[in-house]
Amino acid sequence: MKLLLVEDEKRMADAETELLRQEGYDVDTFYNGEEGLEAFLSGVYDGAILDVMLPGRSGFEIVSAGRHHQIKTPVLMLTAKSAVADKVYGLDSGADDYLTKPFQVEELLARIRALCRRSLPSADGSLKAFDISLSKNTNTLICSSSGKEVRLSEKEFHILEYFIANPKQIVSRDQLALKIWGYDSEAEYNNVEVYISFTRKKLKFIGAKAEIKAVRGMGYELRG
């Protein structure tokens, strides 16, 4: 799972980032609202944790702008404000959950697990679109039309995971690079194209009707 964390208290942000990475999450961390908004609008995250009081843009503004741009990433708001009116405002802005500081680590992790489950399309944790599904436990791609399956590399899995979460939507190479390699990576476009090619071969190998189509000048789209 790829998470976005936006928190301006650097020591707290770094501690939360380390905690989440120890729990197996892939985390991108930003310390101000402007950078946080840009990252949130990329749409590459499975969940976002946003502080309310941020320099540049508030957490409320980030989630509101994201929802305006059809970003469906589940959002957990973190704030020192405990007034009911603040919580209502955050939820009305588009947040999915609200946690008041100070909080227990166990509660934060439980809220994040619940948040990320909301982005899963099936109760068993598998991801499905058209005639293909991904098993998150085994990194296996399965085709319901042919009954065949194949094991995926980590990057192939994450590429298909992102496409399945966004079926029939055009995904740019920039979005894929951010999703698979992250902000700190120097991944180039040819890396994206190489792994798209690998992933297409896996889809063809299992006889899937679903395919990744190139959209000239824009990116790629998963079609069935």
Side-chain angles (χ1 to χ4, degrees), residues 99-170:
L99 187 58
T100 303
K101 299 176 181 178
F103 48 79
Q104 296 294 318
V105 168
E106 293 79 5
E107 182 177 9
L108 173 63
L109 294 175
R111 296 288 186 99
I112 293 171
R113 288 193 295 269
L115 194 75
C116 290
R117 283 198 295 270
R118 296 177 192 182
S119 65
L120 294 175
S122 63
D124 62 3
S126 63
L127 303 165
K128 301 177 182 178
F130 307 115
D131 65 338
I132 59 173
S133 63
L134 289 175
S135 170
K136 296 177 70 66
N137 295 327
T138 62
N139 273 31
T140 302
L141 173 65
I142 305 161
C143 176
S144 59
S145 298
S146 66
K148 293 182 179 180
E149 61 182 61
V150 66
R151 185 69 61 86
L152 300 174
S153 70
E154 180 182 358
K155 286 185 171 57
E156 290 168 347
F157 180 89
H158 288 311
I159 286 172
L160 277 174
E161 180 182 40
Y162 191 47
F163 275 116
I164 288 175
N166 299 277
K168 296 182 179 180
Q169 295 185 35
I170 296 173

